[in-house]
């Protein structure tokens, strides 16, 4: 049995588990990424965490709800209201009964690239598409590749 829970990525001066949006949910692990970004893997899924984290940080936020390490529902939001959503391991998500993706792939790539710009990151549609298409054994590995494609883990 794999991991199920919410993964968070946000720019913050302090650990994400200390932010009001996450209060009451245990962080299983936290990591410092680059340029002030952090990630946290939670033991659960707090309600309304995406807009609450944007409010707490005043910066773009990315989350993924992971189900049994098989699939992830990725959502992103900026303080200006730009959002995007996609499934990692999309075919598996649909087999599990997830609704159809809310945006066509081209629009996801356009929105994700614009999200990265607003987040002061560098991403290309080609790298993002490769990450979204990847099929690792564990979706957490695919999520790590998405973070890299967004410019969150690569050197400045």
């Amino acid at each position: 049995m794999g991991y199920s829970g919410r993964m968070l990525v946000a720019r913050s001066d302090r650990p994400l588990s200390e932010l009001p949006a996450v209060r009451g949910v245990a962080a299983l692990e936290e990591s410092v990424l680059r340029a002030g970004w952090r990630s946290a893997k939670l033991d659960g899924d707090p309600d309304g965490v995406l807009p609450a984290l944007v409010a707490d940080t005043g910066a773009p936020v990315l989350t993924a709800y992971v189900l049994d390490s098989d699939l992830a529902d990725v959502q992103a939001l900026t303080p200006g209201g730009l959002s995007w959503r996609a499934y990692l391991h999309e075919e598996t998500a649909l087999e599990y009964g997830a609704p159809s993706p809310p945006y066509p792939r081209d629009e996801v790539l356009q929105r994700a690239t614009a999200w990265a710009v607003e987040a002061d990151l560098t991403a290309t549609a080609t790298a993002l598409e490769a990450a979204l298409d990847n099929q690792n054994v564990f979706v957490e590995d695919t999520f790590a590749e998405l973070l890299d494609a967004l410019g969150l883990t690569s050197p400045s």
Side-chain angles (χ1 to χ4, degrees):
M1 184 166 203
Y3 166 71
S4 290
R6 178 73 58 184
M7 297 173 74
L8 312 173
V9 179
R11 184 178 281 144
S12 176
D13 293 335
R14 59 187 185 166
L16 300 180
S17 60
E18 294 178 4
L19 298 176
V22 187
R23 210 168 270 140
V25 179
L28 300 174
E29 62 184 63
E30 291 202 39
S31 302
V32 176
L33 302 175
R34 62 178 290 275
W37 288 85
R38 296 174 180 268
S39 68
K41 190 176 194 180
L42 304 180
D43 184 20
D45 187 19
D47 288 334
V49 72
L50 185 65
L53 267 178
V54 169
D56 286 350
T57 63
V61 172
L62 178 77
T63 72
Y65 182 76
V66 175
L67 181 62
D68 201 22
S69 293
D70 290 335
L71 63 100
D73 180 359
V74 177
Q75 298 179 56
L77 183 64
T78 69
L82 175 69
S83 66
W84 61 274
R85 184 176 184 182
Y87 297 126
L88 298 181
H89 301 187
E90 183 175 315
E91 187 174 307
T92 303
L94 297 174
E95 288 171 3
Y96 271 73
S100 296
Y103 306 112
R105 177 58 63 95
D106 288 347
E107 188 172 348
V108 168
L109 296 172
Q110 178 185 21
R111 287 171 173 261
T113 302
W115 179 93
V117 168
E118 193 166 334
D120 200 26
L121 300 168
T122 304
T124 66
T126 304
L128 289 169
E129 186 166 34
L132 291 171
D133 287 341
N134 238 335
Q135 294 289 318
N136 292 294
V137 173
F138 299 106
V139 77
E140 294 94 321
D141 295 333
T142 307
F143 186 65
E145 291 170 358
L146 177 63
L147 297 183
D148 190 49
L150 286 166
L152 285 158
T153 56
S154 54
S156 301

